[in-house]
Amino acid sequence: MNIKERTVAALRLLDVGDRFAHLALPKAAVLIPLFVKEEELHTLMTLRSMTLRTNAGEVCFPGGKRDPSDRDDVETALREAEEEIGLRSDQVQLVCKLTPVINKSGLMVTPVVGFIDETFCPSPNPAEVSAVFTLPLDVFTRENNHAQLQGVPGLVGPLHSFHYEDLMSGRHYHIWGLTAALAMLVAVCALHKRTEFEVGFDFENPLQYLNRTY
């Protein structure tokens, strides 16, 4: 199998399906886009616009709140990705849904993982997104540029963060909180690799890490 086939096979073992669909909580979903470039797994992230009311200027995956017209979490993630960066649903090969997590606003956020083509050219909506960038997934397993904070109010265990410089644009990005946690977990599961730093979760059952609140 090639790297994409191995990744799809590994991540589909983690698919939760509709196990949490019955929970009566306000819902949201994010799309974690993966692609292969030069035989290495990469992911795509966005920088939220500074004009947004919540989480302005933060790095995140494409996503947002469930719309009444959305049939499920997958449709939410795909709709938001198209609205934010112009990624159409037919440009995404769905892989799995991971265990949802309750964020600091009380939303049940479901991570949806999918593969996109390396040649995808984003068209960011300036009302929501100020930048789009890609980076190797392996970044989230390495000690370099990693930091963590202890004793964060309302959070059990450390808060992980990463600083990444996009050499194409020269911009620096700070990736932290739920986005960093999701990126770390997908990296560990997809790459079959332990992190070079202490993360506070069982590598044999890493998704339990999402039982925390962000």
Side-chain angles (χ1 to χ4, degrees), residues 101-118:
V101 62
I102 309 299
N103 73 5
K104 59 188 177 184
S105 301
L107 291 171
M108 187 174 80
V109 182
T110 297
V112 177
V113 184
F115 264 92
I116 63 174
D117 195 273
E118 177 194 346

Side-chain angles (χ1 to χ4, degrees), residues 16-31:
V16 299
D18 296 324
R19 195 179 310 166
F20 300 92
H22 67 285
L23 296 179
L25 293 170
K27 295 179 173 62
V30 297
L31 178 67

Side-chain angles (χ1 to χ4, degrees), residues 57-148:
E58 292 186 4
V59 171
C60 63
F61 289 110
K65 294 181 181 178
R66 172 83 68 92
D67 190 278
S69 63
D70 293 339
R71 291 172 303 205
D72 54 25
D73 297 311
V74 169
E75 187 162 313
T76 298
L78 294 178
R79 175 184 55 76
E80 288 284 345
E82 182 165 9
E83 291 177 1
E84 292 180 7
I85 61 172
L87 179 64
R88 302 189 314 271
S89 59
D90 62 0
Q91 294 176 296
V92 182
Q93 177 190 344
L94 295 174
V95 177
C96 68
K97 290 189 292 184
L98 301 178
T99 303
V101 62
I102 309 299
N103 73 5
K104 59 188 177 184
S105 301
L107 291 171
M108 187 174 80
V109 182
T110 297
V112 177
V113 184
F115 264 92
I116 63 174
D117 195 273
E118 177 194 346
T119 60
F120 168 67
C121 183
S123 301
N125 176 355
E128 299 189 59
V129 174
S130 62
V132 180
F133 66 102
T134 63
L135 68 168
L137 197 60
D138 185 57
V139 165
F140 299 101
T141 68
R142 301 199 301 262
E143 178 63 41
N144 187 34
N145 296 330
H146 165 261
Q148 65 182 42

Side-chain angles (χ1 to χ4, degrees), residues 46-58:
T46 69
L47 185 68
R48 289 172 62 84
S49 169
M50 291 300 296
T51 62
L52 293 172
R53 288 180 297 175
T54 58
N55 305 117
E58 292 186 4

